[in-house]
Amino acid sequence: MKQKLITTLASLSALVCSASSFATQTQVIYAGSLLAGAEQALEKQQTIVIEDAIITRIEKGYISISELKLPDATIIDLKDQFVMPGLIDMHVHVTFERDANTNPHQWLTEYEADYALRSIKYLQRSLDAGFTSVRDLGSSYKVIFPLQRAVERGDIQGPRIFAAGDTITPTGGHADLHGYRKDISDVISGGLGVCDGADDCRRAVREVIKSGADVIKITATGGVLSNTAAGVSQQFTDQELEAIVDTAHNLGRSVTAHAHGTSGVKAALRAGVDSIEHGSYLDQQTIELFKKHNTYLVPTLLAGQTVSKEVLSNPNMPVAIADKVRAVVPQVEASFKLALKNNINIAFGTDSGVSRHGDNADEFLWLVKYGMTEKQAIRSATIDAAKLLGQQDKLGQLSVGKQADIISVKGDPLDDITTLKNVQFVMKAGQVYKQL
């Protein structure tokens, strides 16, 4: 009888715990100014209701919780602040941060855990800066996917991560290893994504997706920061590019291409990639291909500015890299302005990891300096970024049914974009992570 009673009590306790896990968490935000979406007008004195991480109501005025019939709701008072959607950075590398003072051979002594542990502070900085979602474009699958899961579980704090894992690259390409003896690089270079020939590239795409990739990242051209004097022109053949895109799309993954040189940008666009990273050398024919395929440009202006400063102060930067920095970065402004003038789809991306994590909002300053309006710049990091992610039903705007990813600043970023460098409040999926 005693054992039966204990069993019954345990069962009841489990039922109570189970029922409590479904209890609704309700929050009410009073927003002094609200930019619900970059396509909408700025509204004053708004009430946002959030239930279980989802926005359920947006009302004019400051409505009391008794009027809302939500007596147990938590009130968040942002009446003196500008409230807007959480920001999205479409090009980051959360597992490293470039530092001219770091031993360049440090990675030879470290394990995956070293990268993961350092990444915790990078993720925290990005979230504190108002970036509630990021797309990681090139980190080892052994590190990035455990980090992704840790954020999802709530073990660590950071933006939600959409990740490519290992980059698809040809042997000797931008994402392969350079600058070491061949017998050494043969042992430690590579990764799942190194491939040559159309069939081998199909295999590599499948392998990377098998490892957990949400998106496929390829190096269609040479890169500025790879230690080889191979330039920034096309590296994959047209046949390899077509095989990569076809395989990825058949397996439900979008493809983004690191591409600087014009020939490589055009080849990637013809192959049907969904976005181009950097796009440093664009011409009118390239613009027409962007339009034909409705492709996005992720310009990463901040990365170019960061390495331009480094080349002046880092005597240890390899000559092959320094020469490319000096050649490529001066071309970026004209190419970006050409894309902007022709109304090409543009999504926000910083290449953080090249620049410091947490300084992501500096990209806004360059977007505006090179011709975007403040509203266009905000749109690139909200609506357009969400569309490129395929997450427009959940992210990018504040409206009923969407995730409660909400930030606020003091001041008006529609008038002064630099206010986005000082985010005061961060909510991701209904959970408050920062409130000054």
Side-chain angles (χ1 to χ4, degrees), residues 5-22:
L5 179 60
I6 291 172
T7 303
T8 302
L9 289 172
S11 298
L12 287 171
S13 177
L15 284 170
V16 170
C17 291
S18 177
S20 66
S21 68
F22 291 100

Side-chain angles (χ1 to χ4, degrees), residues 127-170:
L127 185 61
D128 285 345
F131 289 83
T132 53
S133 298
V134 297
R135 187 175 66 161
D136 186 281
L137 295 182
S139 294
S140 169
Y141 76 96
K142 296 177 182 178
V143 182
I144 191 61
F145 297 123
L147 284 170
Q148 183 187 56
R149 291 190 290 270
V151 171
E152 289 173 355
R153 289 192 303 263
D155 296 342
I156 60 176
Q157 294 188 2
R160 64 176 60 77
I161 301 170
F162 300 86
D166 287 17
T167 300
I168 307 294
T169 184

Side-chain angles (χ1 to χ4, degrees), residues 275-313:
S275 56
I276 295 287
E277 309 298 313
H278 315 305
S280 302
Y281 293 84
L282 303 183
D283 59 17
Q284 197 58 46
Q285 186 180 1
T286 313
I287 295 299
E288 295 308 315
L289 285 168
F290 268 102
K291 289 184 173 181
K292 179 180 178 180
H293 296 282
N294 201 32
T295 313
Y296 276 80
L297 172 66
V298 183
T300 66
L301 304 177
L302 179 58
Q305 297 303 318
T306 301
V307 295
S308 288
K309 290 180 181 177
E310 184 186 339
V311 79
L312 299 175
S313 60

